[in-house]
Amino acid sequence: MKLVIATPDDISLIQDMARRSWENAYAEILSSEQMEFMLGTMYSKEEILSQMQHPNYHYYLMKDENSNSFEGFIGYEYHYEEKTTKLHKIYLVPESKGKGFGKDALQFLIQQASDKGDTRIILNVNKYNSSKQFYESQGYRVYDEGVFDIGRGFFMDDYLMEYIIHK
C-alpha cells in the first residue's frame, strides 16, 4: 500500500469511498436518514475542502500498488489537543477490509504524529461498530464515552479511544 496526499481534485473520490464504506459499516447501526444527514454534512465538498485548507488537517488516500486502485482514506489533525493528534476518519471500501491497509495506515499515522511532536492519538468510534475491536488489536484503548448531538435530532453514541505513542 502507498499513501498519497489527497488534493481538492480527490474530493469526489473521497465522497464515493465514504459512501461505500458507510453503507457497509453503518447499515445496521444508523437509520438511512441519519446516514444521509451525516454523509451530506461531514462529506460535503465544502466541508472536505475546508479541512484540506486547515494547516494541521491532512487527508491521504490508500492506494493498492498492485492493482493501482484506491482502497480507502485517512483524515487526521495534528495538535487537536495538547500533544494530541485526532484521527477523524479512516475508511476502507468493503472489498479492501482484512488486507492490512488499515493497520498500515495506523502505523503511518503513529509515525506522522510522532514526527510532529504529538504523543497521543485519539478517535471516536460508534459503540456498535465492530471497528472498536480492530482499534483495540492495534493498541488503542477506551478512555471515555460520549453522546454527541449532531443536529436534526441525531446523535453519535461513541467510545473515545486513545493510543499512547511510546518513543
Side-chain angles (χ1 to χ4, degrees):
M1 177 192 75
K2 180 179 180 183
L3 285 152
V4 180
I5 296 172
T7 69
D9 291 339
D10 299 313
I11 290 175
S12 62
L13 175 61
I14 290 168
Q15 290 171 321
D16 177 64
M17 288 190 293
R19 178 167 294 281
R20 290 171 56 205
S21 176
W22 278 49
E23 287 172 350
N24 179 265
Y26 296 115
E28 296 181 15
I29 298 173
L30 304 176
S31 69
S32 59
E33 294 82 11
Q34 182 166 350
M35 192 179 322
E36 286 303 318
F37 173 71
M38 291 177 74
L39 282 168
T41 304
M42 297 166 66
Y43 290 95
S44 69
K45 182 176 183 178
E46 297 76 21
E47 181 66 17
I48 296 171
L49 188 58
S50 171
Q51 292 164 347
M52 286 181 167
Q53 292 170 340
H54 188 287
N56 289 345
Y57 202 115
H58 302 278
Y59 273 93
Y60 280 82
L61 303 173
M62 296 176 215
K63 187 173 189 177
D64 183 336
E65 293 182 283
N66 296 323
S67 65
N68 210 31
S69 61
F70 291 103
E71 307 297 325
F73 63 94
I74 182 171
Y76 60 91
E77 184 179 354
Y78 298 123
H79 313 313
Y80 180 79
E81 294 174 353
E82 187 176 340
K83 298 268 189 192
T84 300
T85 292
K86 179 153 188 180
L87 174 58
H88 289 284
K89 303 164 173 51
I90 181 170
Y91 290 105
L92 292 168
V93 294
E95 59 273 17
S96 296
K97 290 189 176 182
K99 296 182 179 178
F101 295 120
K103 289 179 184 180
D104 289 350
L106 289 180
Q107 287 301 311
F108 170 82
L109 179 61
I110 291 167
Q111 186 62 55
Q112 294 296 305
S114 179
D115 288 351
K116 289 292 185 183
D118 284 349
T119 57
R120 178 175 176 242
I121 299 169
I122 59 172
L123 61 87
N124 293 21
V125 63
N126 182 287
K127 287 182 182 173
Y128 304 100
N129 188 330
S130 61
S131 294
K132 176 182 177 274
Q133 287 76 33
F134 165 71
Y135 293 122
E136 288 172 331
S137 77
Q138 300 306 301
Y140 287 76
R141 69 167 190 86
V142 173
Y143 70 91
D144 205 351
E145 51 187 78
V147 176
F148 305 95
D149 183 344
I150 57 172
R152 289 204 196 153
F154 296 122
F155 295 86
M156 294 189 328
D157 190 8
D158 293 345
Y159 288 117
L160 309 181
M161 301 187 79
E162 69 180 351
Y163 179 90
I164 304 300
I165 299 171
H166 302 284
K167 296 194 178 211

